[in-house]
Amino acid sequence: MGYRTVLMYMEIGCFVACVTGWILVCSTMPTEIWTWSEVDSIVLTTSNYFSNLWKDCVSDSTGVSDCKGIPSMLALNWDIHMCRALIIISIILSFFGSVLVLVGMKCTKIGGSEIANARVTFAGGMNYFIGGMCSMVAFSYYGKKIISEFQNPNYKAQKFEIGVGVYIGWGGSTLLVVGGLIYSIFAGREGCQSSSERYPPLQFPEAYAVVPKRATASLARTEMSDTRKSRKTSVSGVSSISRGSNFTKRTLSNASGVSSTTKTTASNVYV
């Protein structure tokens, strides 16, 4: 079994996990039991109070339940608005992540080249990962709020416990985070490696090459020695030229003396 086959099966497994997590996160929106509390009024009658981000409900021991939607959005606390926004963002990002991953997977063959498919899969994995983190923050904050209110001795209002909706949200967010992280690691490695092979690193010309300090010092020393040698050579050349000119002058003076002697001898002979 080759590497590409293993990668294909891994993508299929991650896709199933991420879609399952997305469905679980979506199922928490209509789920009514995010918080739950049971109050015993008399021996034969008990009342159950439960609520979610959108409405509050109550039921008795006979099975009759009544729900009431939250009347005003502006009257809500900021944390309820934050949890709503984060969960909706998670659902939207996970939906687009499913579309991108379905296009970029190796088994579908919908996209173009291998590099393009890897980059599309990487984008889908990042959508899954960010969506899972958003929903994880929302469910974790909501659960932490319920636990802190329940354990606070100074909290005089009715205390609630964590309901099934929060646990389902934790499971779905975990699947989204894990699947998106695996997608991002493997698809990102393949896409970045292909782009680095396609575009080699920039090579600077030799004029801009960095020379070590020791090499620079040695070059400066050699240049100084070369200049000294050239100066010595020039000085020796000038001295040799001056010696040659002196020798020439002496030769000319000797020649003039010989010519004057010759002239004197000739005049004596004529007399």
Side-chain angles (χ1 to χ4, degrees):
M1 185 180 293
Y3 175 77
R4 191 178 186 279
T5 306
V6 174
L7 191 62
M8 182 178 65
Y9 285 120
M10 185 196 65
E11 288 180 350
I12 294 173
C14 291
F15 179 74
V16 173
C18 290
V19 171
T20 304
W22 175 57
I23 293 173
L24 290 176
V25 173
C26 292
S27 67
T28 59
M29 300 296 287
T31 302
E32 298 174 350
I33 308 176
W34 281 46
T35 59
W36 177 80
S37 177
E38 183 177 354
V39 178
D40 296 332
S41 58
I42 58 177
V43 177
L44 299 177
T45 305
T46 58
S47 298
N48 297 322
Y49 295 90
F50 50 92
S51 63
N52 59 3
L53 297 176
W54 311 97
K55 55 187 175 181
D56 297 326
C57 301
V58 61
S59 66
D60 54 12
S61 58
T62 61
V64 179
S65 62
D66 186 16
C67 294
K68 180 182 178 181
I70 297 174
S72 176
M73 292 184 62
L74 299 178
L76 290 174
N77 295 328
W78 63 271
D79 52 355
I80 303 296
H81 288 293
M82 182 191 70
C83 293
R84 286 179 177 182
L86 288 175
I87 293 173
I88 292 173
I89 290 171
S90 173
I91 293 172
I92 294 173
L93 288 176
S94 300
F95 171 75
F96 285 108
S98 301
V99 174
L100 291 173
V101 167
L102 190 63
V103 171
M105 283 196 304
K106 298 183 181 301
C107 60
T108 56
K109 297 181 180 180
I110 299 176
S113 61
E114 293 289 336
I115 301 175
N117 287 337
R119 292 175 181 174
V120 172
T121 307
F122 175 76
M126 289 302 297
N127 281 345
Y128 275 139
F129 180 74
I130 296 173
M133 290 300 297
C134 290
S135 60
M136 181 67 74
V137 169
F139 291 115
S140 299
Y141 179 82
Y142 198 82
K144 182 64 172 61
K145 179 183 177 183
I146 296 171
I147 294 173
S148 62
E149 290 178 354
F150 187 85
Q151 295 178 350
N152 187 7
N154 299 322
Y155 187 75
K156 301 301 181 182
Q158 185 178 357
K159 296 183 179 181
F160 292 89
E161 296 182 6
I162 299 175
V164 64
V166 179
Y167 292 107
I168 294 175
W170 276 335
S173 301
T174 303
L175 290 176
L176 286 174
V177 170
V178 172
L181 189 62
I182 294 174
Y183 268 131
S184 302
I185 290 174
F186 286 92
R189 181 185 300 176
E190 184 177 357
C192 295
Q193 184 178 2
S194 301
S195 61
S196 62
E197 291 177 357
R198 184 177 179 182
Y199 301 102
L202 181 62
Q203 295 181 356
F204 292 97
E206 295 181 357
Y208 297 96
V210 179
V211 181
K213 294 182 178 180
R214 295 181 179 178
T216 306
S218 61
L219 289 174
R221 291 176 183 176
T222 53
E223 289 179 357
M224 292 176 64
S225 61
D226 291 338
T227 52
R228 289 176 181 176
K229 289 180 180 179
S230 61
R231 288 179 182 177
K232 290 180 180 180
T233 305
S234 59
V235 171
S236 60
V238 170
S239 61
S240 61
I241 291 170
S242 60
R243 290 175 183 175
S245 60
N246 294 329
F247 180 76
T248 305
K249 289 179 180 179
R250 290 176 183 176
T251 306
L252 291 174
S253 61
N254 292 329
S256 60
V258 169
S259 61
S260 60
T261 305
T262 307
K263 287 179 180 179
T264 304
T265 306
S267 60
N268 292 327
V269 171
Y270 178 76
V271 172

